[in-house]
Amino acid sequence: MTFIPQQLKESLQKGLAIPFIGAGVSMSVKDKEGNALFPSWKSLLELAAIRLEEADNKPDEANIVKGYVKTNRLLDAANEAKQALAANWFDFLKQQFDHSEKDVAQDSLKLARAIWQLGSKLIITSNYDHVLRWACPHVHDLEQWDIEAPVEQRELLRNGVNKPTVWHLHGRIDNAADIILTPDGYSKLYAEGTIEHKYQAALKTLQSQLSSRSFIFIGFSLADEDFVQQIQSLADIFQGAAGPHYVLLPEEQRGHFKKMADCIEPIYFANFGAPQLALLNELAALVPQPETISRPDKVGEYSPAKPVFSVPFASKGEQMIGRQAALEQVHCQLHSCIRTAIGQTAAFQGLGGLGKTQLAVEYAYAYQKDYANGVIWINADQDLNVQLIQLAEKNWVSPVADQAFKLTTAIKRLREVPDCLIIFDNLENLETIKEILPAANGASHILVTSRFEQAGFVAIPLDTLSPEQGLQLLLQEAGRQPQNADENQAAASIVQQLGGLPLALELAGAFLQRRTTVSWQQYLELLHKNLPAAFLGSHASWTKHEADIYSTLKIHESLFNEEPLLKPLLNTLTWSGSTAMSGSLLCALLAESEPTNLIGALSLGCALRILQQADDSNAYAVHRLVREVRRAELPLTESPEWVVSCAERLGDWFTSHRRDFSDLALFEANFDHLTAWQQNAQTLGLPLPAARLLWLQAYPAWHWGRYREAQQLLEQAQTLYAQSATADIALKAHLLNDLGLMKHALGDSKKAGELSKEALSLRLDLFGKEHQDTADSLNDVALYSNALGKAAQALELSEQALQIRRTLFGEQHPDTARSLNNIALYYDALGKPAQALELGEQALRIRRTLFGEEHPDTARSLNNVAGYYDTLGQPAQALELGEQALQILRMLFGDMHPDTVLSNFNLITYLVANKQRPEALKRLETQLRLLRKDHPYYEDLQRLRAQLLSKTIRPGFRQPAKNPGKNKPKKRR
């Protein structure tokens, strides 16, 4: 027999003893193979270190955790593990603590069951698991509190508890985001002067119980530093508490116990296992037996006909923003004559965080008068039998009735009683509720919320909130208004960053409401840098429905079984840029030849609001927050081969669209994805794919005449290429050739020629003569030769390029027209303007056929043909064609693009030739005012101005070289 203090005996006899349970109780629970089901705190942190080292490839962080564990600094170890695991922290905790009762060896629950015999309906625990629930003899009556349960705790202070209750003082695994395990969490609950408002009610309740009850600490071992720290934290608030309080400890720790407060006394048992259980049974024997439960006086209080309103959450009422149309739509659907095979149904479906649960709550409150027999709420992702029995006990069957009878009555009530609204929240699989659905021909309505499409339910689509609605919700939840223009801009950017997702906006608002010193700009910065931290501790949604936003936004694998292409599609968009991706690029990245192959996956993704379709375009983006969550689930470091494959396919797509101005809008619309995958490749140390994608980024700058910017990008790409251990000769030639184009455009035709000749040599060795890239190099070497005064050599090389292009492409092709255009230029340089005019007009006809009038190549041909007419002494025709070219280029590029300025330069000389010198001078002065001094044609225009003012210019003045198509010319004197 163990010595039991008299005061403890009296406390037990009077029902004034409250068990406080530690990890030792859970550690006694075994699985059916006899293995411990739960780790000790120390073991938990050792497992976290293993996870960091083996699964997350973070050996340095793992070693820090191991070091803290080795020196018994377990709170520090927990803090480091949490930071290192980041978004995976809550998943890790669930893997360790969120077990199913079916895996438990029932005999190992003896210790936990004995605790329920100690006479207290309230048990307090620092554990996160379900052990006390599994052991509860009246589990269907059981209530479980999180750290903070203000209403219930207020009732406890007034009247005690009437049902078996487990208070998880440090949180529970069902709500992993609120678990207290790390130093910051302990300080929030216990530390003097730093207690968060959230935990004040919990602390007040705990202090009250300490002063009026005796606590029995069970499952705490002084051998582990973490347990000592927990009790030490509580000891600070024991001062002055009546007590006494008791700690049950094994005999071997008698010499280690240090009294942390006068009111804490140890009671020793021989050892863990049978001796500890014997002590608890001895204590339980002191507890008076409960009176037999009396039957209710009025059996009529319980009847299946009794109407109910069973909705677990409060209505937001007028605080509900942007959802009135959806409520009206579901009301219309449920009250219309359109039935499915299941009955009168509707479904709020879509991405987690859209507010589906809250909308179901609002519908229940708004239209409850339409349902004479009430509203019944079922959490479809939780134990249905438990919920049905609870419903029956509260409304339809006496609590003392047989459990099976309660369950049968509840199912019969749902299936047969008409004029009800039955809500199934968070439905994943229709099969789970099939047996309790109302009869299809009945008069009840069925409303579900789900992340998935559900057969037989008419979907009510939910959009994310508009920017205006999102801002309204954010400001409402934050409880404060921006005070200046900068704060207004930051608030609007927060809404944009959160993608109009109601749950995210509620959590952001709650964060800002509780942290009044955090400015709008600071919170926006936090969102950009550390998304999880921006929501940490701000769980304030009305439904508390999966308050951890990372859990809310995860995509269930079963969804991918329905549309297999949805998973690779989401993965691709997750690591692409944030802008919408065009359908053709999506097809290329997924190696799908037909866009129709993606219709199913795209439509499902959009229906569930996982994907967002750009307005009036076949372009798609993944929701911003889903993107962040999936990035945590799909680290690039685990898929380097996939990154290489995506970069290659993406590069092929951009390569095919890089040259034609008609493709520039499409190229630029997807540019964000080009830079994203280049960064992905660099992050993984893949210089060759990164160099290729950086090379392609130079093309928009080249099209728009920003030659220095394009040159910088090409030089950076060359630097990356040089870092690769393997060669890509085709890419090397591209880089050399295009860098030559930029050098020429910026006035260094000699260097351009050297680079282009090197590219030509590489291409001849790699491809031979009959290849598009070889023809391009011949064309470019010819261009630079002409610029250096070697027109005959240029003509010879350009005719070789023309022959290759005609063989490869025929007559009606952009490259053929480009060769004809350039050969005309060289004939003109050789003093043969008639031949130049003939070939120039031939090129113009092809370009008009291929591109129409509003295209740069058409304008460049017009500009060049105008020059040939001018040389032939036909200034009127030159002026007419020159005006056409200028108008096209101004419309496409504006006034400062080099091609526009060149065209304007030529037009000024045609005005002089047509005896319109004042107009020519006026145009020239206007053009000069627009240009910077470093513009390629600024000096030429200044010289032309001096000639106009001195009246030395004459008809036939040799203007800068006519543009040879895609290539940017060197100025000709």
Side-chain angles (χ1 to χ4, degrees):
M1 295 284 291
T2 303
F3 172 74
I4 301 175
Q6 183 61 34
Q7 285 180 294
L8 176 56
K9 292 180 180 179
E10 293 176 1
S11 293
L12 288 165
Q13 291 166 351
K14 295 177 182 179
L16 298 178
I18 297 177
F20 194 121
I21 308 306
V25 173
S26 296
M27 289 166 59
S28 69
V29 178
K30 311 291 184 183
D31 62 20
K32 292 180 179 178
E33 285 73 41
N35 302 311
L37 198 61
F38 299 100
S40 67
W41 195 4
K42 186 173 184 178
S43 297
L44 173 71
L45 297 171
E46 289 171 342
L47 289 169
I50 293 172
R51 165 70 182 263
L52 286 168
E53 189 168 36
E54 297 182 357
D56 291 10
N57 194 27
K58 294 183 177 180
D60 294 339
E61 291 85 344
N63 288 332
I64 294 173
V65 174
K66 290 177 184 177
Y68 283 138
V69 171
K70 189 174 182 180
T71 56
N72 271 337
R73 296 168 61 185
L74 301 185
L75 286 174
D76 292 326
N79 189 50
E80 177 65 29
K82 180 180 179 182
Q83 290 182 6
L85 285 170
N88 295 322
W89 171 248
F90 299 132
D91 282 342
F92 170 72
L93 292 182
K94 281 187 171 289
Q95 289 172 6
Q96 305 305 320
F97 294 108
D98 195 10
H99 297 297
S100 171
E101 186 177 2
K102 67 182 181 181
D103 299 326
V104 177
Q106 291 297 313
D107 190 56
S108 67
L109 291 173
K110 286 181 180 178
L111 182 63
R113 289 183 180 129
I115 291 167
W116 283 108
Q117 305 306 314
L118 296 179
S120 175
K121 291 184 177 179
L122 173 66
I123 296 178
I124 302 174
T125 180
S126 58
N127 300 342
Y128 319 120
D129 52 64
H130 303 304
V131 168
L132 291 169
R133 186 183 78 188
W134 298 336
C136 181
H138 303 290
V139 66
H140 299 305
D141 290 327
L142 180 69
E143 292 191 356
Q144 292 178 282
W145 298 350
D146 283 328
I147 303 168
E148 184 83 339
V151 175
E152 293 83 356
Q153 288 163 6
R154 183 172 61 246
E155 188 64 23
L156 169 64
L157 293 176
R158 292 176 178 174
N159 304 312
V161 294
N162 296 316
K163 295 181 179 181
T165 301
V166 178
W167 180 7
H168 291 270
L169 189 62
H170 291 173
R172 56 193 176 110
I173 198 61
D174 303 279
N175 189 6
D178 274 346
I179 278 179
I180 288 180
L181 184 63
T182 53
D184 62 323
Y186 275 83
S187 66
K188 291 173 186 175
L189 181 57
Y190 297 124
E192 183 178 356
T194 60
I195 302 163
E196 288 197 8
H197 174 75
K198 176 176 182 178
Y199 299 129
Q200 286 180 355
L203 186 60
K204 183 177 180 181
T205 305
L206 186 63
Q207 289 172 323
S208 172
Q209 297 304 298
L210 284 166
S211 64
S212 58
R213 301 286 191 272
S214 287
F215 278 30
I216 307 175
F217 290 92
I218 306 169
F220 290 84
S221 170
L222 298 178
D224 287 336
E225 183 68 21
D226 53 301
F227 293 137
V228 176
Q229 291 192 39
Q230 288 183 34
I231 297 176
Q232 182 65 59
S233 299
L234 286 170
D236 293 339
I237 57 174
F238 286 163
Q239 304 301 326
H245 307 289
Y246 304 93
V247 182
L248 306 188
L249 297 172
E251 185 66 38
E252 64 182 17
Q253 294 187 12
R254 184 183 291 272
H256 300 286
F257 178 73
K258 293 182 180 180
K259 209 168 187 179
M260 290 157 281
D262 291 337
C263 56
I264 300 178
E265 299 288 344
I267 297 177
Y268 296 102
F269 53 88
N271 206 343
F272 294 110
Q276 182 184 23
L277 183 60
L279 172 58
L280 287 176
N281 289 333
E282 193 176 345
L283 296 176
L286 298 169
V287 178
Q289 293 298 311
E291 297 180 3
T292 303
I293 299 175
S294 59
R295 294 179 179 273
D297 294 333
K298 298 179 182 178
V299 177
E301 291 180 3
Y302 301 103
S303 167
K306 181 180 178 182
V308 298
F309 184 79
S310 173
V311 177
F313 308 114
S315 168
K316 293 186 73 171
E318 294 181 356
Q319 290 182 285
M320 196 68 181
I321 293 172
R323 292 298 191 229
Q324 188 57 41
L327 291 177
E328 292 174 358
Q329 188 174 353
V330 76
H331 181 263
C332 178
Q333 165 58 30
L334 289 174
H335 287 76
S336 70
C337 296
I338 303 172
R339 285 179 172 270
T340 70
I342 295 175
Q344 204 78 34
T345 68
F348 289 126
Q349 70 179 39
L351 172 69
L354 278 170
K356 301 181 295 293
T357 296
Q358 190 64 52
L359 268 173
V361 170
E362 298 305 321
Y363 181 81
Y365 279 94
Y367 297 106
Q368 59 180 300
K369 293 181 180 178
D370 292 356
Y371 302 99
N373 285 314
V375 178
I376 299 171
W377 186 288
I378 302 290
N379 294 310
D381 59 342
Q382 298 177 20
D383 190 310
L384 299 182
N385 289 349
V386 169
Q387 296 177 74
L388 293 172
I389 289 171
Q390 290 174 344
L391 275 168
E393 289 177 342
K394 290 179 181 178
N395 304 286
W396 306 317
V397 180
S398 170
V400 297
D402 180 73
Q403 296 287 72
F405 177 67
K406 295 174 186 175
L407 183 59
T408 302
T409 301
I411 294 174
K412 187 177 177 67
R413 174 65 160 72
L414 264 66
R415 290 183 62 84
E416 298 180 3
V417 174
D419 299 323
C420 286
L421 170 65
I422 303 175
I423 299 171
F424 294 98
D425 186 34
N426 203 26
L427 178 64
E428 293 186 358
N429 188 340
L430 185 58
E431 288 297 317
T432 60
I433 64 169
K434 194 172 183 179
E435 298 303 318
I436 61 175
L437 287 173
N441 59 356
S444 289
H445 294 168
I446 312 168
L447 176 62
V448 304
T449 72
S450 181
R451 302 188 197 189
F452 314 100
E453 286 187 327
Q454 299 292 348
F457 286 86
V458 179
I460 307 299
L462 296 181
D463 289 317
T464 51
L465 298 180
S466 69
E468 295 76 19
Q469 293 167 341
L471 183 59
Q472 183 183 354
L473 177 59
L474 178 64
L475 299 184
Q476 171 184 287
E477 299 301 319
R480 52 171 152 147
Q481 297 288 322
Q483 298 301 308
N484 54 50
D486 289 341
E487 288 190 348
N488 275 316
Q489 181 59 49
S493 297
I494 290 169
V495 174
Q496 181 185 19
Q497 183 70 15
L498 297 179
L501 197 67
L503 174 61
L505 290 164
E506 285 186 359
L507 297 181
F511 187 107
L512 287 161
Q513 183 183 51
R514 293 171 53 193
R515 291 164 173 79
T516 55
T517 59
V518 176
S519 70
W520 297 93
Q521 291 93 332
Q522 287 172 329
Y523 186 76
L524 178 61
E525 184 178 356
L526 183 62
L527 272 181
H528 284 296
K529 291 184 176 179
N530 191 345
L531 184 66
F535 297 123
L536 188 63
S538 64
H539 311 308
S541 68
W542 284 60
T543 61
K544 310 291 183 186
H545 194 60
E546 289 190 290
D548 171 21
I549 196 161
Y550 265 63
S551 297
T552 301
L553 294 173
K554 283 185 178 178
I555 310 300
H556 200 282
E557 285 293 320
S558 62
L559 189 64
F560 302 135
N561 296 332
E562 184 176 345
E563 282 292 346
L565 276 176
L566 184 57
K567 185 172 185 176
L569 189 153
L570 282 177
N571 291 347
T572 299
L573 290 177
T574 291
W575 284 105
S576 296
S578 59
T579 58
M581 180 182 289
S582 69
S584 65
L585 179 53
L586 265 175
C587 282
L589 279 167
L590 297 175
E592 293 293 334
S593 58
E594 295 295 332
T596 52
N597 295 346
L598 298 182
I599 288 177
L602 290 171
S603 62
L604 178 59
C606 289
L608 299 178
R609 299 308 186 264
I610 299 167
L611 298 179
Q612 298 169 321
Q613 184 174 8
D615 294 339
D616 303 323
S617 69
N618 183 34
Y620 301 86
V622 68
H623 191 282
R624 288 171 182 265
L625 297 185
V626 175
R627 182 168 172 259
E628 293 299 322
V629 171
R630 289 196 67 76
R631 284 193 169 193
E633 292 181 321
L634 184 73
L636 286 177
T637 52
E638 295 182 3
S639 309
E641 293 180 357
W642 176 68
V643 173
V644 171
S645 175
C646 286
E648 182 177 356
R649 292 172 183 169
L650 181 108
D652 290 345
W653 186 89
F654 277 100
T655 297
S656 68
H657 293 285
R658 76 190 192 279
R659 292 171 54 175
D660 191 344
F661 180 81
S662 302
D663 290 342
L664 181 58
L666 181 63
F667 191 109
E668 290 184 315
N670 289 282
F671 193 82
D672 189 27
H673 309 298
L674 183 59
T675 59
W677 283 99
Q678 176 236 320
Q679 291 164 5
N680 292 342
Q682 280 190 252
T683 299
L684 292 186
L686 302 170
L688 210 57
R692 186 186 186 207
L693 300 185
L694 192 56
W695 159 59
L696 290 164
Q697 291 174 43
Y699 274 86
W702 168 71
H703 276 292
W704 294 111
R706 303 193 303 270
Y707 306 132
R708 287 184 177 82
E709 177 185 334
Q711 177 177 278
Q712 287 179 342
L713 289 167
L714 291 168
E715 289 171 343
Q716 291 169 17
Q718 278 191 323
T719 301
L720 271 177
Y721 180 87
Q723 296 172 10
S724 174
T726 57
D728 182 338
I729 302 303
L731 175 59
K732 183 178 181 180
H734 283 315
L735 291 170
L736 289 167
N737 194 75
D738 289 357
L739 189 57
L741 288 175
M742 299 312 112
K743 294 290 186 183
H744 173 65
L746 294 169
D748 190 353
S749 296
K750 181 179 179 181
K751 182 62 176 176
E754 294 171 359
L755 293 169
S756 196
K757 286 176 182 176
E758 187 178 351
L760 175 60
S761 177
L762 292 173
R763 286 170 168 173
L764 282 168
D765 289 343
L766 188 62
F767 303 123
K769 287 188 176 181
E770 302 296 316
H771 193 275
Q772 179 179 7
D773 288 356
T774 303
D776 286 347
S777 283
L778 286 167
N779 181 80
D780 294 340
V781 173
L783 174 68
Y784 312 143
S785 297
N786 183 62
L788 294 170
K790 301 175 182 178
Q793 181 181 332
L795 180 61
E796 180 183 353
L797 293 170
S798 194
E799 285 179 335
Q800 292 178 37
L802 174 61
Q803 183 179 351
I804 296 170
R805 286 168 168 172
R806 277 178 166 157
T807 301
L808 293 175
F809 309 123
E811 202 69 27
Q812 298 296 313
H813 190 273
D815 285 3
T816 303
R818 188 171 293 118
S819 279
L820 290 167
N821 183 76
N822 289 6
I823 290 172
L825 176 68
Y826 308 145
Y827 272 118
D828 185 45
L830 291 168
K832 299 178 180 181
Q835 292 95 321
L837 178 61
E838 180 182 355
L839 293 172
E841 288 183 329
Q842 189 177 342
L844 175 60
R845 285 193 297 273
I846 296 173
R847 285 172 164 174
R848 276 177 162 158
T849 300
L850 293 175
F851 306 127
E853 292 295 323
E854 296 178 0
H855 192 278
D857 283 2
T858 303
R860 290 160 185 157
S861 275
L862 284 167
N863 182 65
N864 289 348
V865 170
Y868 307 144
Y869 274 116
D870 181 56
T871 303
L872 290 166
Q874 301 179 48
Q877 290 92 328
L879 183 60
E880 180 182 354
L881 295 177
E883 282 281 12
Q884 292 177 32
L886 181 61
Q887 293 308 312
I888 294 170
L889 292 169
R890 274 180 171 163
M891 178 186 66
L892 296 175
F893 295 133
D895 286 319
M896 290 180 286
H897 190 284
D899 288 2
T900 307
V901 177
L902 171 63
S903 183
N904 198 21
F905 183 107
N906 292 342
L907 190 64
I908 291 168
T909 67
Y910 306 153
L911 286 168
V912 174
N914 281 276
K915 301 179 181 179
Q916 299 181 44
R917 189 180 295 269
E919 175 64 19
L921 186 59
K922 179 181 177 182
R923 287 194 180 216
L924 191 147
E925 296 285 5
T926 301
Q927 183 70 77
L928 278 171
R929 284 195 295 270
L930 295 173
L931 298 185
R932 292 163 53 99
K933 291 184 179 180
D934 59 354
H935 191 279
Y937 292 125
Y938 183 82
E939 293 181 4
D940 291 277
L941 286 166
Q942 284 287 16
R943 280 191 288 272
L944 180 59
R945 179 177 181 273
Q947 291 173 328
L948 280 174
L949 292 175
S950 65
K951 299 184 180 182
T952 58
I953 191 170
R954 64 189 185 283
F957 173 82
R958 308 306 295 173
Q959 63 270 22
K962 302 154 185 78
N963 193 307
K966 84 178 181 74
N967 306 297
K968 302 298 179 282
K970 184 179 185 301
K971 297 181 287 293
R972 189 174 73 185
R973 305 302 180 196

